[in-house]
Amino acid sequence: MADASHVPRQTINSKTALPSKALFFHGLEDNEVPGLSRQHDHARRQKHTAVTYSFNTMDLSKIFIALFVFQVLFPCHKAAPENSNVFREYIGAEFNNVRFTDVPINSNVEFHFILSFAIDYDTSGSPSPTNGKFNVFWDSDNLSPSQVSSIKSRYSNVKLALSLGGDSVGDGYHAYFDPSSVDSWVSNAVSSLTDIIQEYNLDGIDIDYEHFHADPDTFAECIGRLIKTLKNNGVISFASIAPFDDDDVQSHYKALWKSYGNLIDYVNFQFYAYDKGTTVSQFLNYFNTQSSSYDGGKVLVSFISDGSGGLTPEDGFFTACSRLKSQNKLHGIFVWSADDSKGNGFRYEKQSQALLAISH
């Protein structure tokens, strides 16, 4: 059979018989068939519309699928944070009788006390892990539920959190994150922490585990599910993490950030864990590095009251803070700790809050 594409085109007029249907549709232009051109044109447009609709629908489906896959592979946690007036202070770990009322509070900042620590260990002389059943290990005689209520009623800008873990428990024992299983740890932690948080009328939690008997993925799942459940239950309104620049520590907290970073409101990065004698330029480089590690997070800057590490207030800490503020990157300041600052009259707490209170 001859290929229809090679059949010579015929011009049809009123004196010429119409060619077969096959030849008509294969070789004729619309204007060559009087009386049929409008029907053909209408049919062609219908076909074109249908093909276009089918194509657009398929295109949109592919776009939506591609966007979904992209979001799963590259989750966007948060928009870039800006300057903030958040000031945070750890308190109660060293049992030197410091009280909330000892600490100066500037009414123009958002002030967070962080009680240190609640730990899932027993309170025996030789403490052992309790798989998510937390006990109070801060100076509860001076930082009691009634004192929490009193400071919150006195200052409307004050919120309180408790910190989980810390470096040690008892007389020099490392406080390990040591779950028996994810489900059992989360169940115990939700129950025991809900009791403590409600008894003390607290607002949030801070995660400060520094030693681990579990892999990063287990840590991420336990802590992530804990934060999610406490938030969903209305028990807490904010959560923070407190990593520092150590390979093992960072591997655990980065795994948590990757899976649950959208639930974490503040990153209390321990910049004072860097070497004593850190310079302003080094500090700013460290800040940029950790801001990239916890991309989209509110990474707070920090100093340690006893001056034992990092960039100290005497050596340029507030210079670095001012530079970050001018770049819209000062997301807040935290201090370790009120217990040590009590000896110097909280001089640098006052200076920190004064800087944060300045509108930019």
Side-chain angles (χ1 to χ4, degrees), residues 278-291:
T278 295
T279 66
V280 170
S281 61
Q282 287 175 326
F283 183 91
L284 294 173
N285 286 335
Y286 295 150
F287 176 84
N288 290 329
T289 298
Q290 301 310 329
S291 294

Side-chain angles (χ1 to χ4, degrees), residues 142-177:
N142 290 291
L143 305 168
S144 65
S146 63
Q147 289 161 327
V148 170
S149 296
S150 177
I151 199 69
K152 290 180 77 172
S153 63
R154 183 175 174 183
Y155 295 97
S156 61
N157 61 318
V158 167
K159 297 179 181 179
L160 280 96
L162 56 75
S163 187
L164 308 184
D167 174 64
S168 60
V169 56
D171 189 18
Y173 296 89
H174 283 321
Y176 283 94
F177 177 75

Side-chain angles (χ1 to χ4, degrees), residues 186-339:
V186 172
S187 178
N188 290 337
V190 168
S191 177
S192 60
L193 287 173
T194 296
D195 288 344
I196 295 171
I197 290 167
Q198 291 180 340
E199 178 187 0
Y200 278 79
N201 187 26
L202 306 179
D203 305 287
I205 63 171
D206 173 68
I207 312 301
D208 189 23
Y209 281 104
E210 302 182 3
H211 308 283
F212 307 91
H213 282 162
D215 62 84
D217 288 340
T218 299
F219 176 73
E221 195 62 21
C222 285
I223 300 300
R225 284 172 55 181
L226 170 65
I227 294 171
K228 184 175 182 179
T229 303
L230 292 178
K231 282 194 169 185
N232 286 345
N233 291 349
V235 177
I236 61 172
S237 59
F238 60 83
S240 59
I241 56 175
F244 57 94
D245 197 10
D246 170 88
D247 288 345
D248 190 38
V249 170
Q250 289 278 60
S251 68
H252 286 77
Y253 282 94
K254 286 181 181 180
L256 172 60
W257 184 260
K258 179 179 178 181
S259 297
Y260 291 95
N262 61 308
L263 296 175
I264 297 168
D265 301 280
Y266 309 101
V267 179
N268 286 9
F269 200 85
Q270 298 182 42
F271 289 102
Y272 46 80
Y274 287 108
D275 290 341
K276 183 178 181 180
T278 295
T279 66
V280 170
S281 61
Q282 287 175 326
F283 183 91
L284 294 173
N285 286 335
Y286 295 150
F287 176 84
N288 290 329
T289 298
Q290 301 310 329
S291 294
S292 297
S293 296
Y294 300 94
D295 187 31
K298 291 183 178 179
V299 178
L300 276 64
V301 296
S302 57
F303 66 87
I304 188 168
S305 301
D306 66 7
S308 59
L311 178 61
T312 64
E314 295 89 348
D315 293 331
F317 175 78
F318 291 110
T319 299
C321 288
S322 296
R323 290 186 188 175
L324 291 174
K325 192 175 181 71
S326 70
Q327 299 168 12
N328 208 26
K329 293 181 180 179
L330 186 59
H331 315 312
I333 298 172
F334 79 90
V335 180
W336 178 273
S337 65
D339 303 60

Side-chain angles (χ1 to χ4, degrees), residues 70-92:
F70 184 83
Q71 287 179 330
V72 170
L73 295 177
F74 307 100
C76 295
H77 295 300
K78 302 174 184 180
E82 299 180 342
N83 283 339
S84 167
N85 67 341
V86 172
F87 177 80
R88 319 188 86 202
E89 179 118 41
Y90 288 86
I91 187 170

Side-chain angles (χ1 to χ4, degrees), residues 119-128 130 133-137 169-170:
I119 313 174
D120 53 333
Y121 271 65
D122 62 37
T123 56
S124 66
S126 180
S128 58
T130 54
K133 296 179 181 179
F134 283 85
N135 289 300
V136 169
F137 281 86
V169 56

Side-chain angles (χ1 to χ4, degrees), residues 61-76:
S61 298
K62 291 177 181 177
I63 290 171
F64 287 138
I65 292 170
L67 286 172
F68 175 77
V69 171
F70 184 83
Q71 287 179 330
V72 170
L73 295 177
F74 307 100
C76 295

Side-chain angles (χ1 to χ4, degrees), residues 89 98-99 102-104 337-339 341-351:
E89 179 118 41
V98 66
R99 295 173 177 263
D102 293 332
V103 184
S337 65
D339 303 60
S341 293
K342 184 179 180 181
N344 65 23
F346 302 97
R347 173 184 174 185
Y348 297 120
E349 278 80 353
K350 295 174 184 175
Q351 191 170 345

